[in-house]
């Protein structure tokens, strides 16, 4: 098979990239290791920046998101008894949209066939070839046969563990990484949220987050040590812990219910440079990871594919080679700013096992400053709603 752009990975990055290219008449094929059901079974964050909702709208795929998503004008930072509201609506004139990443993925998948975006699911042993020549291609196995796709460009949207990033030689690359000494234990339950806005809480016993997927489905998280196991946290223990960490006011409105899903995820900051090598471009989690504090992962994948689609469209429609060459720097400039915000919010809101009394006083001073300064709140708000493209 021959196509213009072969995309590895049908997560949000690969799917959105495919749609943006198809909307401009560029041929694209996605090869994905997993099945559609498997991908739609993954529970991920659920706060969309305006940049992300704008892309869905531009493609004419925003109808369900606007019907079912919850626009939010603010969120809270809690520290002990104190609750600081960040009024993102008043401070930035923008909102964020609470709508699960799983739903974004479903909307993009459902529209693929109609728009001529071919997705090959359950493709095994995907391998990239000749990425630094003029005729790159990929191979994969399906139904006992080896297939080959020749393309002008290969786009690695295959997440942190995919094969694409490994094709960029170590001699030209740099990886920056910070691993945090804790994880997040998350629970999803069909109960109404304890608050109509998100609460990020810094508590003596560790961080907690009250989030939601809808008016009847809640998502909560607590910070746990890395060696903790899900089995150590029966539902009752987790609800008790959430009630303590989120504080008496939130606890009084918290409805408990059986877990639909419960899992532990480690926290990591990671950036890989450059995001292009020859005719291979990386986008989304294949090139960078943020800790979930601030929900930037999906949004950053969306800004990457926005830049990448523009570069590829420029190449095919205007023979513009510069845009391809400039993709990595352009994407990384925004990546690093989101990395900074996610790292700062993580440091501000978590209890670090090796943190001392001075570190804690710095958190309190930071939170005091935020509580008393419109400038500080504006900084947080403009990062939370998403920096301009
Ligand atoms: N061959 C084909 N596909 C692969 C391979 C492979 N060898 N390895 C991984 N993939 C697929 C995965 O199965 C997955 O569907 O690539 C896809 C990558 O999707 P995501 O991990 O969702 O990454 P991305 O699309 O960059 O989305 C970023 O999703 O991971 C979250 O927190 C992250 O919110 C962020 C967003
Ligand atoms: C979520 O709802 O899953 C969520 C929300 C906000 C975050 C992280 C995760 O910062």
């Amino acid at each position: 098979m021959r196509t213009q752009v072969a995309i590895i990975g049908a997560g949000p990055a690969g799917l959105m990239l495919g749609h943006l290219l198809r909307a401009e008449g560029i041929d694209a094929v996605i090869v994905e290791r997993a099945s559609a059901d498997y991908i739609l079974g993954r529970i991920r964050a659920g706060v969309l920046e305006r940049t992300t909702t704008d892309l869905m709208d531009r493609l004419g795929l925003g109808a369900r998101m606007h019907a079912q998503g919850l626009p939010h004008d603010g969120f809270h930072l809690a520290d002990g008894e104190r609750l600081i509201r960040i009024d993102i609506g008043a401070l930035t004139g923008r909102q964020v949209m609470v709508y699960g990443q799983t739903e974004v993925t479903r909307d993009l998948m459902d529209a693929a066939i109609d728009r001529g975006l071919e997705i090959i699911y359950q493709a095994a042993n995907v391998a990239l070839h000749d990425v630094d020549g003029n005729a790159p291609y990929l191979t994969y196995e399906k139904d006992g046969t080896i297939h080959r796709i020749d393309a002008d460009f290969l786009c690695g949207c295959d997440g942190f563990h995919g094969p694409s990033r490994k094709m960029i030689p170590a001699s030209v690359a740099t990886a920056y990484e910070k691993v945090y000494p804790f994880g997040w234990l998350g629970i999803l339950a069909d109960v109404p949220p304890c608050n109509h806005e998100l609460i990020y809480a810094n508590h003596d016993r560790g961080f907690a987050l009250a989030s939601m997927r809808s008016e009847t489905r809640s998502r909560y998280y607590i910070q746990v040590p890395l060696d903790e196991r899900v089995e150590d946290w029966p539902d009752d223990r987790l609800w008790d812990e959430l009630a303590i960490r989120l504080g008496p006011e939130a606890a009084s409105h918290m409805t408990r219910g059986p877990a639909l899903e419960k899992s532990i995820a480690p926290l990591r900051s990671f950036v890989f440079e450059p995001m292009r090598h020859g005719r291979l471009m990386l986008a989304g989690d294949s090139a960078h990871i943020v800790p979930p504090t601030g929900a930037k992962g999906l949004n950053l994948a969306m800004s990457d594919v926005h830049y990448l689609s523009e570069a590829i469209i420029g190449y095919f429609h205007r023979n513009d080679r510069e845009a391809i060459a400039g993709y990595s720097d352009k994407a990384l400039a925004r990546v690093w700013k989101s990395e900074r915000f996610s790292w700062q919010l993580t440091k501000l809101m978590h209890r670090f096992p090796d943190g001392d009394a001075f570190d804690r006083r710095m958190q309190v001073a930071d939170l005091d400053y935020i509580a008393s300064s419109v400038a500080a709140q504006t900084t947080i708000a403009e990062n939370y709603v998403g920096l301009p493209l």
Side-chain angles (χ1 to χ4, degrees):
M1 186 198 293
R2 174 157 184 94
T3 188
Q4 287 175 297
V5 181
I7 298 168
I8 304 106
L15 290 164
M16 178 60 87
L17 176 63
H19 276 289
L20 291 170
L21 296 175
R22 288 302 303 133
E24 294 292 324
I26 294 167
D27 286 336
V29 175
I30 303 180
V31 286
E32 164 61 53
R33 186 181 53 183
S35 67
D37 284 347
Y38 178 86
I39 295 170
L40 291 173
R42 291 190 296 221
I43 310 290
R44 298 264 172 85
V47 180
L48 309 184
E49 294 176 357
R50 176 69 177 276
T51 43
T52 300
T53 59
D54 281 352
L55 285 177
M56 293 294 279
D57 286 337
R58 204 210 293 173
L59 290 167
L61 296 177
R64 200 166 69 96
M65 175 183 77
H66 288 291
Q68 297 177 12
L70 304 172
H72 279 210
D73 285 315
F75 68 95
H76 302 267
L77 299 176
D79 186 45
E81 297 292 291
R82 170 164 62 178
L83 200 60
I84 307 168
R85 179 162 189 268
I86 307 294
D87 189 338
I88 55 179
L91 293 165
T92 69
R94 290 183 160 222
Q95 299 176 313
V96 291
M97 177 75 88
V98 170
Y99 185 65
Q101 175 175 323
T102 312
E103 305 311 318
V104 174
T105 307
R106 186 189 303 280
D107 292 340
L108 293 169
M109 275 182 180
D110 285 353
I113 293 179
D114 271 359
R115 300 188 176 203
L117 175 61
E118 187 179 354
I119 308 174
I120 299 161
Y121 292 104
Q122 294 176 306
N125 297 325
V126 173
L128 297 80
H129 308 269
D130 292 352
V131 298
D132 44 11
N134 280 327
Y137 64 98
L138 56 81
T139 52
Y140 65 94
E141 282 175 44
K142 187 161 167 124
D143 303 327
T145 315
I146 296 181
H147 302 262
R148 169 173 171 150
I149 303 180
D150 290 278
D152 296 283
F153 294 105
L154 305 183
C155 293
C157 301
D158 45 357
F160 186 67
H161 300 287
S164 298
R165 186 177 66 249
K166 299 174 187 105
M167 297 302 294
I168 303 187
S171 55
V172 300
T174 312
Y176 302 86
E177 182 167 41
K178 181 168 285 293
V179 176
Y180 299 87
F182 42 73
W184 278 18
L185 166 60
I187 179 171
L188 185 72
D190 272 335
V191 292
C194 67
N195 191 296
H196 71 285
E197 293 180 338
L198 273 63
I199 304 173
Y200 294 83
N202 181 332
H203 188 274
D204 259 351
R205 298 165 69 103
F207 169 80
L209 169 60
S211 180
M212 68 198 74
R213 290 290 173 274
S214 70
E215 270 146 17
T216 56
R217 183 169 282 190
S218 301
R219 180 74 166 154
Y220 291 95
Y221 299 92
I222 57 166
Q223 169 189 349
V224 291
L226 277 173
D227 54 7
E228 211 85 346
R229 295 171 315 147
V230 174
E231 304 84 80
D232 300 330
W233 288 91
D235 292 0
D236 281 340
R237 181 180 176 208
L238 183 46
W239 289 116
D240 288 345
E241 189 66 26
L242 279 163
I244 296 170
R245 295 193 192 182
L246 290 167
E249 169 63 21
S252 70
H253 295 104
M254 201 169 83
T255 311
R256 299 175 180 222
L260 301 173
E261 193 261 6
K262 216 189 289 172
S263 55
I264 297 182
L267 269 68
R268 178 198 307 267
S269 296
F270 174 82
V271 181
F272 185 86
E273 294 184 346
M275 287 171 64
R276 181 192 66 90
H277 180 68
R279 286 174 173 263
L280 167 65
M281 282 82 90
L282 305 178
D285 278 16
S286 71
H288 43 73
I289 299 286
V290 287
T293 334
K296 290 296 166 210
L298 167 69
N299 296 298
L300 211 44
M302 295 295 112
S303 59
D304 284 355
V305 298
H306 163 76
Y307 295 130
L308 181 51
S309 65
E310 290 208 318
I312 294 174
I313 292 163
Y315 176 89
F316 285 114
H317 288 356
R318 296 187 303 280
N319 201 21
D320 176 2
R321 317 250 149 170
E322 298 290 302
I324 297 284
Y327 162 67
S328 177
D329 285 350
K330 199 160 190 176
L332 282 166
R334 194 168 189 277
V335 166
W336 277 112
K337 290 185 199 127
S338 281
E339 291 281 348
R340 184 198 71 89
F341 179 64
S342 307
W343 165 74
Q344 281 205 326
L345 200 57
T346 302
K347 276 200 311 179
L348 178 66
M349 300 309 292
H350 290 74
R351 297 300 171 109
F352 284 69
D354 56 352
D356 57 19
F358 181 87
D359 297 326
R360 176 61 193 146
R361 294 309 292 227
M362 283 297 111
Q363 285 186 339
V364 173
D366 242 336
L367 287 158
D368 277 346
Y369 173 56
I370 293 164
S372 66
S373 160
V374 175
Q377 290 173 20
T378 306
T379 297
I380 292 175
E382 77 173 357
N383 280 279
Y384 198 81
V385 297
L387 296 175
L389 286 173

